[in-house]
Amino acid sequence: PVGRSRPRMALAVPLCESMIGALASKRATPMSLRALFEFATDRRLSHGARKTAMAQFLHRELPIRMAQRIDELSQLPFGLSETADVRWITETYSGHVERLVSTAKPTTSD
């Protein structure tokens, strides 16, 4: 999380490392599962409008939350962040984050 002073491990893609750092420093929107459910079932909006709004929320939030997990994994103690399995996870997450931020924000429910 934000505020830790330990250095993060270098990712496979340097450009992605700076993007991950910037995203990880952002605050994720607090949202309970109950609130997500209530929004998804809110009948005041059309089904298409709910789908679009939820897609926009996820498009904004997933990169932040995934970057925070990458940051946490990169700061594991005892060299755990350098193990093959943890590196595989951080590189996989990094690829997903890069794809999400390079994808246009959803504007329709299609």
Side-chain angles (χ1 to χ4, degrees):
V2 177
R4 290 196 180 166
S5 59
R6 286 184 280 173
R8 293 196 348 247
M9 75 179 203
L11 298 175
V13 181
L15 174 63
C16 191
E17 184 177 358
S18 63
M19 177 179 29
I20 297 299
L23 287 166
S25 68
K26 292 183 177 183
R27 181 178 162 97
T29 304
M31 179 75 65
S32 68
L33 288 176
R34 180 184 199 93
L36 283 172
F37 175 78
E38 288 172 357
F39 178 77
T41 57
D42 185 354
R43 298 293 178 197
R44 292 177 290 179
L45 296 173
S46 70
H47 179 68
R50 285 193 313 268
K51 279 177 53 177
T52 301
M54 189 59 68
Q56 290 172 344
F57 174 77
L58 292 172
H59 185 267
R60 180 179 65 248
E61 287 295 312
L62 284 176
I64 294 169
R65 292 169 188 251
M66 292 180 83
Q68 290 170 344
R69 297 305 74 78
I70 293 164
D71 190 51
E72 290 171 353
L73 288 169
S74 72
Q75 297 178 40
L76 292 173
F78 311 115
L80 291 172
S81 61
E82 296 300 325
T83 63
D85 290 336
V86 173
R87 286 187 66 86
W88 179 81
I89 292 167
T90 58
E91 289 172 7
T92 300
Y93 273 34
S94 296
H96 292 313
V97 169
E98 195 165 10
R99 280 190 292 283
L100 282 165
V101 298
S102 66
T103 302
K105 178 181 174 181
T107 57
T108 67
S109 63
D110 295 335

